[in-house]
Amino acid sequence: MQKLSGTPLKQNYSRHKLGMSIRDLRNAGALHTAEEISQQPAVWERTWELLLERKPEIDRFLQMTYAHPSLNIVLTGAGTSAYIGNILRPSFQRFTQKNTWAVATTDLVTHPHEYFHEQDITLLISFARSGNSPESLAAIRLAESLNQYTYHLIVTCNAYGDLANTGNSDNTLCVLLPPETNDKGLAMTSSFTAMLLAGLLIARITQIEKYESQVTRLCNYGNVLLSNLVDKLKEVAKLDFKRAVFLGSGPLQGAARESQLKLQELTSGKVICKYDSFLGLRHGPKVVIDSTTLIVFLFSNSAYTHRYEADLVDSINHTERGLLRIGIAESIDDEMSLDLKIELSNGDTGLEEEFLAVCSVLPAQIIAFFKAIQLKLQPDSPSANGIISRVVQGVTIYPYPANNYNLNP
C-alpha cells in the first residue's frame, strides 16, 4: 500500500484561541477543540499543498481504476466521515462519469449485499479521522470478499490507525493528511473540513492547479469567520435555545447535517438538532420550529437555488420565526429579514458551491463550542456519562454468511 503524508504544520501557540486565554481553555477542558477549530484555514492550505505535491501518484492510481468501464465508486465513512461522502458524491459522479454512491460504513456492514456484488469492480473511498472504527475495516473486508475486484483509496488523519495500515498491495492508496487534523477532541472539526477539502481536490486531481484560487478564497473566508465573528457567535450561544434546525441545499445539505451533529455532540444532547433541505423542511419537519428554536440557513451561491431558499425564509418569517434566525452565505440580500447575517465576501460569489460547504460548518462549530461551555460541559470531552466517545466502542463485527443474500433471523 502506498502512503502519502504531509509534514506537520507549525502549531499556533498564540496565548488566545477563540477569544479565550490558554489558561481558561485548559480550565474549561476546551483547549484541544479550540485549537482544532482555529487552525482550519492553515490546515486547508496545507492540505492543498500536500495534494498538489502528490498529484502524480494520486492521478496515476485513479487513472488505473478509472480504466475499468464498469467501475463503481462508493464513498464511505462512519458518522461525520460519512457526511463527507454525501457532499462529494456529485463531484465524483461529474468528474469521473462513473456510477457513484455515498454509503456509510454502518450501512455497508449490516447490508453489504445491497452494495457489493460478485460481478462488480469497485473503488471504495474511505474517510476516517482515527481509522480505528470497527466498521471501517469491516467494510473493506466485505468489499474484498463480495466484489469481483476492489480498489481502495483511504483518506485519513491518523498514520497509526488500523485503516492506514491495512497492508501493502497495488490496489490500495492511503493519503495521510497533516497530523494536526487528527483531532484530539471528541467532536471532529478540522478533521472533517480537511478530509472534505481533500476529497474535493482528489475528484479534480487532473486539473488541481486550477483550484488554487478556490482554496485561497476558502481560506480567506475561514479567516473572516474566525477573526470577525467569534464574539457574535458567542453571544448566540448564550441564548436559551432548546432546539436547532440547520438547512442547506445540495452539497450544503451535507454541511447542515454535520452542523447539527456538532451542536448536538458538544452539548451532550441538551440541544436537540435537526437538518433538512430548504424545500424538504416544508413537507412536515417545519413543525419542529417553535419559540425555543435556533434556525441556521446555509445559503447556496447559485442564483437559481437561492430563489427557493429565499421563499422558505419568507415563509418562516410569516409563521413560526423561532428564537433566532442566522443566515450564512458569501453574500446575503439586503432586504432579507434575518437576525444575524454572516457574509463571507464583499459582495461577490466566486467560491464553488461544494467548496462553500467546507467553511459553512465553522459557525456551528463555534456556537457549539461556546454552548458547551455555557452548559458547564467540557468541549474536549462533553459526554460526561460516556454515552459517546472519540472512537466508537462496543461494536461487534459478525462473520458474513457466504453467498447468503436472504438472511432470516
Side-chain angles (χ1 to χ4, degrees), residues 177-252:
L177 296 187
E180 290 76 15
T181 64
N182 189 17
D183 298 330
K184 296 182 178 69
L186 179 141
M188 291 174 61
T189 52
S190 67
S191 54
F192 171 80
T193 57
M195 286 194 288
L196 174 56
L197 177 59
L200 290 169
L201 294 173
I202 288 170
R204 299 158 170 80
I205 197 68
T206 59
Q207 48 187 299
I208 186 173
E209 295 86 355
K210 296 180 181 179
Y211 287 86
E212 182 175 9
S213 61
Q214 288 286 299
V215 175
T216 298
R217 182 182 286 264
L218 173 63
C219 293
N220 288 340
Y221 288 173
N223 285 320
V224 166
L225 285 164
L226 292 165
S227 299
N228 302 336
L229 291 158
V230 168
D231 288 342
K232 290 182 180 179
L233 295 172
K234 184 177 181 179
E235 291 302 310
V236 170
K238 291 179 181 178
L239 298 175
D240 188 25
F241 52 88
K242 310 295 185 185
R243 306 177 182 182
V245 174
F246 293 86
L247 301 174
S249 307
L252 291 172

Side-chain angles (χ1 to χ4, degrees), residues 17-85:
K17 308 289 180 190
L18 299 181
M20 295 179 65
S21 71
I22 298 300
R23 179 180 178 180
D24 288 345
L25 287 168
R26 285 200 178 101
N27 290 339
L31 181 59
H32 292 314
T33 305
E35 175 68 49
E36 288 149 8
I37 291 173
S38 301
Q39 73 183 3
Q40 287 176 99
V43 164
W44 301 339
E45 183 178 0
R46 185 65 190 99
T47 298
W48 150 261
E49 293 170 349
L50 184 153
L51 290 171
L52 181 64
E53 178 184 352
R54 302 302 184 182
K55 173 186 173 179
E57 294 95 330
I58 299 172
D59 190 28
R60 185 163 54 247
F61 177 80
L62 290 177
Q63 292 309 315
M64 175 179 64
T65 67
Y66 296 162
H68 296 279
S70 59
L71 179 77
N72 295 315
I73 300 175
V74 177
L75 302 156
T76 194
T80 285
S81 297
Y83 306 161
I84 294 171

Side-chain angles (χ1 to χ4, degrees), residues 278 297 299 309-317 336-338:
F278 281 77
F297 304 102
F299 290 123
E309 297 173 342
D311 285 351
L312 188 276
V313 173
D314 185 63
S315 173
I316 287 177
N317 286 343
M336 183 172 285
S337 177
L338 296 166

Side-chain angles (χ1 to χ4, degrees), residues 106-127:
T106 47
D107 293 328
L108 293 178
V109 167
T110 60
H111 289 74
H113 53 281
E114 294 185 3
Y115 308 103
F116 302 136
H117 309 95
E118 60 183 358
Q119 73 273 19
D120 286 350
I121 298 176
T122 298
L123 170 60
L124 186 68
I125 304 180
S126 301
F127 295 91

Side-chain angles (χ1 to χ4, degrees), residues 95-333:
F95 283 97
T96 69
Q97 297 295 300
K98 303 290 184 182
N99 291 326
T100 305
W101 292 272
V103 186
T105 56
T106 47
D107 293 328
L108 293 178
V109 167
T110 60
H111 289 74
H113 53 281
E114 294 185 3
Y115 308 103
F116 302 136
H117 309 95
E118 60 183 358
Q119 73 273 19
D120 286 350
I121 298 176
T122 298
L123 170 60
L124 186 68
I125 304 180
S126 301
F127 295 91
R129 172 174 63 174
S130 72
N132 291 325
S133 297
E135 300 96 336
S136 296
L137 280 177
I140 284 178
R141 290 168 181 154
L142 286 164
E144 291 280 354
S145 64
L146 297 178
N147 284 330
Q148 177 185 342
Y149 195 80
T150 306
Y151 294 95
H152 300 281
L153 176 60
I154 296 166
V155 180
T156 184
C157 306
N158 182 15
Y160 304 101
D162 294 336
L163 202 61
N165 295 280
T166 54
N168 297 312
S169 60
D170 292 336
N171 71 328
T172 304
L173 178 67
C174 180
V175 178
L176 300 175
L177 296 187
E180 290 76 15
T181 64
N182 189 17
D183 298 330
K184 296 182 178 69
L186 179 141
M188 291 174 61
T189 52
S190 67
S191 54
F192 171 80
T193 57
M195 286 194 288
L196 174 56
L197 177 59
L200 290 169
L201 294 173
I202 288 170
R204 299 158 170 80
I205 197 68
T206 59
Q207 48 187 299
I208 186 173
E209 295 86 355
K210 296 180 181 179
Y211 287 86
E212 182 175 9
S213 61
Q214 288 286 299
V215 175
T216 298
R217 182 182 286 264
L218 173 63
C219 293
N220 288 340
Y221 288 173
N223 285 320
V224 166
L225 285 164
L226 292 165
S227 299
N228 302 336
L229 291 158
V230 168
D231 288 342
K232 290 182 180 179
L233 295 172
K234 184 177 181 179
E235 291 302 310
V236 170
K238 291 179 181 178
L239 298 175
D240 188 25
F241 52 88
K242 310 295 185 185
R243 306 177 182 182
V245 174
F246 293 86
L247 301 174
S249 307
L252 291 172
Q253 184 177 357
R257 188 176 188 183
E258 169 60 10
S259 295
Q260 64 87 28
L261 179 61
K262 283 292 92 62
L263 182 53
Q264 199 157 253
E265 280 182 321
L266 285 173
T267 61
S268 196
K270 296 182 185 299
V271 178
I272 301 301
C273 302
K274 183 174 180 58
Y275 81 97
D276 212 321
S277 66
F278 281 77
L279 285 179
L281 188 77
R282 294 178 181 271
H283 292 265
K286 190 178 177 185
V287 72
V288 305
I289 298 175
D290 63 13
S291 60
T292 70
T293 305
L294 172 68
I295 309 172
V296 182
F297 304 102
L298 308 184
F299 290 123
S300 171
N301 51 15
S302 160
Y304 167 78
T305 303
H306 189 62
R307 296 178 71 177
Y308 292 102
E309 297 173 342
D311 285 351
L312 188 276
V313 173
D314 185 63
S315 173
I316 287 177
N317 286 343
H318 286 87
T319 52
E320 177 54 71
R321 296 163 60 91
L323 179 65
L324 189 81
R325 297 154 303 131
I326 301 175
I328 304 166
E330 284 194 276
S331 179
I332 300 179
D333 303 336

